[in-house]
Amino acid sequence: MSRVGVLALGPAGAGKTTFCNAIISHMQSIGRRAHIVNLDPAAEPTEYEFSIDIKDLISLDDVMEEMDLGPNGALIYCFEYLLDNLDWLDEEIGDYSDEYLIFDCPGQIELYTHVPVLPNIVRHLQNQHNFNLCATYLLEAPFVIDKSKFFSGALSAMSAMILLELPHINILSKLDLIKDQVSKKQLKRFLNPDPLVLATEDTDESSKFRKLNIAVANLVDDFGMVQFLPLDCHKESDSVATILSYIDDVTQWSENQEPKDPKDEFEEEIDDFDE
């Protein structure tokens, strides 16, 4: 049976760890199990403990101190070290055969836009462990509703999408930070955007900047894959359930579940009644 893995990607501060915690909380509420695999050698657990933690293999602070490297160089070193020691990862994930594994990734986007580190890990998980993987790419709502920044975010999402070659879901996080700035109607323009319309709206931009925006908009429009699902983790909403349903669809989670024996289901109902 195929395993299911979800990669949480996006720039630093986009809310990846909060998203991972929200997904696990929701899954627990509906009787499903998931585990966080921390791939950030500088991160600490928050609401939920890490089931697998790269810091058990190598930490960013140790590399910076011993190798006299800056944060970005040390991060690249950590991932190159992980690639040289994938047997550690194999052993760690060996016990998780039928549960979601959520891979919380670092915020340095060059790891999945420029350097072929995560693509190698992705291929290893697919080929050696039969994972069905889905990439989720988070961008902050305050960042995306700025038109010029929207194109920057769209390009970074597209880069990750192309490099990883995985089913890809873009997520707009931290909606609570813009609720007083834009209406729901305005927000929809960025959730399901028409890049050419955004690029050709009247603005005070210089002609060169305007031409650049139009060129980028044409590129985004040609791909036709940059859409966002809203994420609101700070109040009761259906956004997390909706995102999980999309993940389930692209990873074919329900199709990979083994049917239960009716006797087992009856015994579970009795156990629940006794409790």
Side-chain angles (χ1 to χ4, degrees):
M1 184 175 67
S2 297
R3 298 174 173 182
V4 171
V6 181
L7 276 67
L9 312 172
K16 297 184 293 298
T17 299
T18 301
F19 167 67
C20 293
N21 290 331
I23 287 288
I24 287 185
S25 177
H26 174 72
M27 291 182 72
Q28 288 183 350
S29 71
I30 59 175
R32 290 168 58 180
R33 299 183 64 184
H35 301 272
I36 296 179
V37 179
N38 176 45
L39 292 182
D40 186 346
E44 296 293 337
T46 54
E47 185 177 351
Y48 293 97
E49 293 293 326
F50 301 141
S51 296
I52 301 172
D53 189 356
I54 191 177
K55 293 197 302 298
D56 293 337
L57 175 69
I58 189 170
S59 76
L60 189 72
D61 290 340
D62 290 343
V63 172
M64 290 176 63
E65 181 179 348
E66 295 179 15
M67 306 295 294
D68 195 24
L69 293 172
N72 287 342
L75 186 65
I76 298 295
Y77 181 93
C78 288
F79 271 83
E80 290 176 344
Y81 188 83
L82 175 61
L83 286 176
D84 290 336
N85 294 272
L86 284 175
D87 54 332
W88 171 84
L89 184 61
D90 295 341
E91 184 176 347
E92 291 292 316
I93 67 176
D95 295 333
Y96 302 100
S97 58
D98 58 352
E99 299 163 344
Y100 260 63
L101 293 185
I102 304 175
F103 296 84
D104 191 2
C105 300
Q108 280 76 5
I109 62 174
E110 57 265 32
L111 287 174
Y112 35 90
T113 57
H114 296 79
V115 182
V117 173
L118 276 181
N120 289 336
I121 295 175
V122 163
R123 285 192 289 271
H124 181 79
L125 293 173
Q126 291 173 321
N127 297 333
Q128 301 299 319
H129 298 282
N130 198 30
F131 265 96
N132 283 339
L133 295 172
C134 171
T136 58
Y137 194 92
L138 280 74
L139 287 173
E140 296 178 67
F143 183 87
V144 172
I145 63 171
D146 181 312
K147 186 177 70 174
S148 60
K149 293 179 180 178
F150 165 81
F151 288 117
S152 174
L155 286 177
S156 67
M158 285 174 53
S159 296
M161 190 185 309
I162 293 169
L163 190 67
L164 294 176
E165 298 180 333
L166 287 176
H168 197 95
I169 297 173
N170 295 314
I171 297 172
L172 203 60
S173 63
K174 302 186 179 181
L175 293 180
D176 55 304
L177 298 181
I178 62 166
K179 62 181 180 181
D180 297 327
Q181 301 177 37
V182 298
S183 65
K184 290 184 178 180
K185 183 178 180 180
Q186 291 173 314
L187 179 61
K188 287 181 180 179
R189 298 173 65 243
F190 294 93
L191 293 176
N192 191 9
D194 185 331
L196 294 175
V197 170
L198 292 176
T200 55
E201 289 178 338
D202 292 333
T203 65
D204 296 328
E205 299 163 355
S206 68
S207 60
K208 288 185 178 180
F209 190 67
R210 183 180 176 85
K211 289 179 181 178
L212 176 61
N213 266 356
I214 293 175
V216 172
N218 277 307
L219 178 63
V220 174
D221 190 57
D222 286 344
F223 274 83
M225 296 185 291
V226 180
Q227 300 178 357
F228 293 91
L229 295 177
L231 172 66
D232 188 352
C233 298
H234 297 284
K235 66 177 182 179
E236 290 295 327
S237 72
D238 296 328
S239 64
V240 175
T242 299
I243 291 171
L244 181 60
S245 70
Y246 273 78
I247 295 172
D248 286 345
D249 285 342
V250 300
T251 58
Q252 300 178 327
W253 176 82
S254 59
E255 296 179 15
N256 291 324
Q257 299 308 296
E258 294 181 355
K260 285 188 175 182
D261 189 300
K263 180 180 178 181
D264 294 336
E265 292 187 354
F266 176 76
E267 289 177 351
E268 287 183 3
E269 291 177 2
I270 294 297
D271 291 340
D272 292 339
F273 179 79
D274 289 340
E275 292 176 0

